[in-house]
Every structure is written in structure tokens, then in C-alpha cells.
Amino acid sequence: MEPASRFFWCLVLLLQETLVHPYSVPADAANLESVVVSVLNVTAKAGSQMVLPCKSYRMVWTQDRLNDRQRVVHWDLYRGQYGDYSSERLCDMYSAGEQRVYSGYNKGRIFMPDAAFEDGNFSLVIKDLAKSDQGVYSCNLHHHYCHLYETVKIQLDITTKVKGVKEYWDGEKAVIVALQGSTVELPCINRNHIWTDRFDEEDQQVVHWDRQPPGVPHDRADRLIDLYASGERRSYGPLFIRQKMDISERAFSQGDFSLKISGLEPADKGTYSCHLHHHYCGLHERRIFQVSVVEPEPETKVVNVTRHNAPAADPNAGRGHNVINVIIPESRSHFFQQLGYILATLLLFILLLILVVLVTRKRRRRSFEYNMKKCDQKDMNLREFTVDTTDLSNYKSEDIKLDYKNNILKEKAEHSVRFPAKNIDLDKDFRKEYCK
């Protein structure tokens, strides 16, 4: 029974594997955890085309033709009270250029370190403090390539007393009270690698799409497409999967990484994820799409059947044609679905029939072997038994003709007659009795 059942389950598993197209290219678990930006539920009809939108202007790759003039820092000064502020640009500096001081009065009096974009120290040094230097200073860091903007504000107050010099935090910004005529340094430090280092940006940008079938966790998702800013493109899975899923070739120039799926099938449902990784800019985003595929509604065709040879009608009635509307549903897919169910049921019935035949034959074979063993045990050699035949002596019968006077003498004479010994085969008789 056990070999037959194993054979049956092996056939069932083999049938399941042939009906499913297995492809499993696991997602890269080494990537940093992405921030989920959006989760959308998308429903489409089978056989249609669907586009999963995934756009980000921060992923647009543009070659640095300006000799790394994409990073800049500038200091601004805001003067005034009660919301009436006037702003003044004090100085700025590009990552590949020299710093500029806008006012002739401030040249040589205010400056930033020359190695600011190397060590991340963008602090502003002001010499010979005067009352006019009092106000709110703003340190602005701009990374035009990564679309990053950071601002640090510091309030500077001027005092004429040494005891009044102090630094504190007012809850929104740092406040520095400096002595008039002295030198002060307004701190602005940011040592993030995007402000201090230069990488090959095209090797730091990657976009990939993953798919999770229903019931599969995120770390076991199947990788669909990898796309790099350098132009490299990788597709995974069977050929028919790679042909039906596509991303635009100008994705990195437009920032549009939407996935187009053509010829939707019920097997395409699941969770799709668009991962955007810009390692240079520190961007790690994920957009999730819950895709459901429904069967399209059967289209109906209206056929007008017109009878031109209508029977004669009442001459007083108006002339017209008899129109019959016939609705013919398109059910070809339904027919194939029912046919599949019938074939699957027939195959299962055949497998069960084979299993019953194998079990029956095995039981018959076991019963036949058992009967043979029983007969072998009961087969005895009866020739070993000895029979006492001493009283059986060879005797030659003679016909004695006597005249008896009465029946008593005749009966005594018959008892005195000895018959010859009979040859009896005991072995044959005992076999018949024991083998019944």
C-alpha cells in the first residue's frame, strides 16, 4: 500500500509543477530598507494593458558638465524687527570654485574656510564686529544634483560689556552674544558625504521592480527588472515574463520608471514594488502597488434579423419590417475553462483507478503465497508410517463345496475363510484430507 500511495502523490506533485511556471530570482536583501512613499490598489481586466506609475524628479540623471558646480553654500543676513526684515547676500562658494564676497566693505572681514567642501566646515568668520553686524544669519547648503536644501540659522547680538558675552539656544535657533570689535565664528558644520565627497553618480543610481505573489513575504519577492543609470539593464524570469513587462529606455532622463504590463492574466495578481535607490544622494524610496486582475465582462452582440418576405398583413395597417433582436454572448473562454475542469477530473479518476488495480493485485498475490505456505506445512510423508501386516498371510483361496445341514454350519465356515491382503495407498488418502 505504501509504494502505491507514494507513486500517487508523486504524480499529483508533478501535475502541479507542470501547471505552474516557477521562476524565483530573490530580491536583493543587501539593499537598505526603503521608505514606503505610497501604497495603491490597482484593478485591471484580464487581457488589458496596465501601467504602474513610479516617478521621481530626484532620480533624473544629468551629467555634471559644469565641473562639479552643483554644490553651493551661501550666507545671508536678515535685519529688522517685528516681521519687517531686509535680507542681504553676504558671500557664497561653489564646490569647484572660489568664494565670493558681495560687499566691498566685507571683503577681507568675513570669509569661510577654503577647504569647506572637503572637511564639511562651512562656518562664517566675522572680524571687527560692529553694531551693523547684528541680526539673523542663515547658512544655506544647496545640492542641485540631489535636490537637497539645508538651512542653519544663527542669531548674532552685539554687546559692549565683557560679562554679556554668552551663547544659548532659544528653542528655535542658536543665539550668540559677542563683544563689539572682537572676532566671532558662526558655526555651520555638515560632514555628510554628499557635501564632502564626489562619487561616480551613474554607478550609484539603480531602480528595480519586485513582485510578491499572494502569501509571499517581501524578503522572498521575485526580482523582475534592474535598471542602472549607466545604461545597464537586467530582466529576470521566463521569456514570456520579460516580454510582457517593460520600462522606458529614457527612464533616467525623464525620471519616469513606470512599469508597463501587457496581456494581463489572473496569474499576474500580487504585490508589485518600485524601489528607487540613489546611493550618492541618500535616496531610498519604495512605492507599493496591490494589483488585482478580474475577468472581463462578456461582450454582447446584437444581431438584427429582418424578414423581407413577411406574410400579408392588414392593408389598413402601416407597412414595416419584423425585427428580432438576438443576443449572442461570447463564451469561448468559459468553454475552455469548463473543458479544463473535465480533463482534470478525468485524469484524477484514472489515477485512482490505477491505484485500486495495484492494491487489488498486491492483495491477491499475498493470499496465494500464504496458501502455498500452508499446504507445504501440512504435506506429510506417510511412507514413514509402518503398518503391521503380520496377520495378513498369503493365502490361496480354494473353492470348497460343502453341503451344510443348517445355516449355523454355513456361517461358521464363511467366518473361517481368509481373504487376501489389500494394497492401500495411505499417503494419497491423507493428502486429500489435509489439503481440503
Side-chain angles (χ1 to χ4, degrees):
M1 182 67 182
E2 293 181 358
S5 61
R6 290 179 182 176
F7 175 74
F8 172 72
W9 286 114
C10 289
L11 287 177
V12 173
L13 292 177
L14 181 61
L15 179 63
Q16 290 180 353
E17 290 181 358
T18 55
L19 294 177
V20 180
H21 303 282
Y23 70 97
S24 179
V25 178
D28 187 5
N31 287 333
L32 297 176
E33 286 295 332
S34 304
V35 178
V36 178
V37 177
S38 62
V39 179
L40 297 178
N41 295 325
V42 183
T43 303
K45 295 181 179 180
S48 63
Q49 179 177 326
M50 178 173 56
V51 178
L52 303 180
C54 184
K55 301 178 181 180
S56 177
Y57 68 91
R58 294 187 61 186
M59 291 291 291
V60 176
W61 179 75
T62 55
Q63 188 176 1
D64 185 10
R65 298 184 178 92
L66 301 177
N67 195 16
D68 195 27
R69 294 175 63 87
Q70 300 186 20
R71 293 175 293 171
V72 61
V73 56
H74 60 84
W75 281 89
D76 298 331
L77 173 60
Y78 298 90
R79 299 186 182 93
Q81 293 180 351
Y82 306 108
D84 186 12
Y85 289 97
S86 62
S87 62
E88 177 186 1
R89 177 65 53 87
L90 299 177
C91 61
D92 59 19
M93 183 172 62
Y94 288 90
S95 56
E98 297 179 354
Q99 58 180 306
R100 297 180 298 179
V101 179
Y102 286 86
S103 174
Y105 169 75
N106 292 327
K107 288 184 177 179
R109 198 175 72 91
I110 63 173
F111 60 88
M112 289 182 291
D114 294 334
F117 285 100
E118 296 179 3
D119 57 9
N121 185 8
F122 305 96
S123 302
L124 180 66
V125 178
I126 305 176
K127 298 180 178 179
D128 298 331
L129 286 174
K131 283 288 185 180
S132 59
D133 295 327
Q134 185 169 305
V136 177
Y137 288 78
S138 174
C139 174
N140 303 281
L141 295 172
H142 297 278
H143 200 305
H144 299 289
Y145 176 73
C146 295
H147 303 277
L148 292 178
Y149 306 95
E150 297 183 9
T151 300
V152 177
K153 292 185 177 181
I154 303 173
Q155 181 176 341
L156 178 62
D157 295 333
I158 307 299
T159 181
T160 57
K161 299 179 180 180
V162 179
K163 294 182 179 180
V165 176
K166 58 183 177 179
E167 297 179 3
Y168 61 94
W169 178 263
D170 65 353
E172 295 181 356
K173 58 185 178 299
V175 178
I176 298 177
V177 181
L179 185 63
Q180 184 177 357
S182 63
T183 301
V184 67
E185 181 178 358
L186 304 181
C188 182
I189 299 175
N190 192 330
R191 292 190 170 90
N192 195 321
H193 71 89
I194 64 174
W195 304 107
T196 58
D197 300 331
R198 286 201 65 197
F199 295 101
D200 193 0
E201 289 89 349
E202 62 189 41
D203 294 336
Q204 298 287 331
Q205 289 177 260
V206 59
V207 176
H208 62 259
W209 279 87
D210 293 339
R211 176 182 176 270
Q212 300 168 234
V216 176
H218 172 59
D219 57 349
R220 300 292 299 277
D222 298 326
R223 178 66 54 84
L224 298 177
I225 297 176
D226 281 339
L227 190 63
Y228 298 87
S230 59
E232 184 180 359
R233 183 191 185 103
R234 300 176 185 175
S235 299
Y236 303 92
L239 180 61
F240 74 94
I241 292 291
R242 288 178 284 173
Q243 290 177 346
K244 69 188 301 183
M245 299 186 182
D246 187 29
I247 300 179
S248 174
E249 295 180 355
R250 303 180 59 187
F252 278 101
S253 61
Q254 299 176 350
D256 187 359
F257 307 95
S258 302
L259 179 66
K260 180 174 67 175
I261 306 175
S262 58
L264 279 174
E265 299 177 1
D268 294 329
K269 68 178 181 180
T271 303
Y272 291 77
S273 299
C274 174
H275 298 261
L276 304 179
H277 296 285
H278 199 318
H279 299 281
Y280 174 74
C281 296
L283 173 66
H284 301 281
E285 294 181 353
R286 179 187 176 199
R287 292 166 173 80
I288 301 175
F289 302 90
Q290 303 285 349
V291 177
S292 300
V293 181
V294 297
E295 291 292 337
E297 297 179 358
E299 299 180 358
T300 58
K301 291 184 178 180
V302 179
V303 180
N304 294 328
V305 181
T306 305
R307 296 180 181 178
H308 296 282
N309 298 325
D314 187 3
N316 297 327
R319 296 182 179 180
H321 299 286
N322 295 329
V323 180
I324 301 176
N325 295 330
V326 180
I327 301 175
I328 303 176
E330 294 184 354
S331 59
R332 182 179 298 176
S333 60
H334 179 71
F335 170 74
F336 285 111
Q337 184 178 6
Q338 297 297 327
L339 181 60
Y341 291 154
I342 295 174
L343 293 178
T345 305
L346 182 61
L347 179 59
L348 182 60
F349 175 75
I350 294 174
L351 293 177
L352 291 176
L353 184 60
I354 294 174
L355 179 62
V356 171
V357 171
L358 292 176
V359 172
T360 306
R361 292 185 60 184
K362 190 165 184 180
R363 287 189 175 181
R364 288 183 178 178
R365 187 178 301 173
R366 285 186 177 180
S367 62
F368 178 74
E369 292 177 355
Y370 176 76
N371 293 333
M372 292 296 296
K373 291 180 180 179
K374 185 175 180 181
C375 290
D376 292 341
Q377 292 176 359
K378 292 183 178 181
D379 190 8
M380 298 181 181
N381 189 7
L382 299 179
R383 295 177 182 178
E384 297 178 357
F385 294 92
T386 58
V387 181
D388 187 8
T389 59
T390 55
D391 57 344
L392 300 176
S393 59
N394 295 328
Y395 175 76
K396 183 178 181 181
S397 61
E398 296 181 355
D399 295 335
I400 302 175
K401 298 181 180 180
L402 297 175
D403 295 331
Y404 302 100
K405 295 181 178 181
N406 51 34
N407 292 333
I408 297 173
L409 294 176
K410 185 179 179 180
E411 189 174 337
K412 288 181 179 181
E414 288 178 357
H415 281 292
S416 62
V417 176
R418 294 184 179 179
F419 294 95
K422 184 179 180 181
N423 189 8
I424 301 174
D425 191 358
L426 298 178
D427 294 339
K428 183 177 180 180
D429 295 334
F430 279 151
R431 285 197 192 94
K432 292 180 179 180
E433 291 295 332
Y434 277 91
C435 293
K436 285 183 178 179

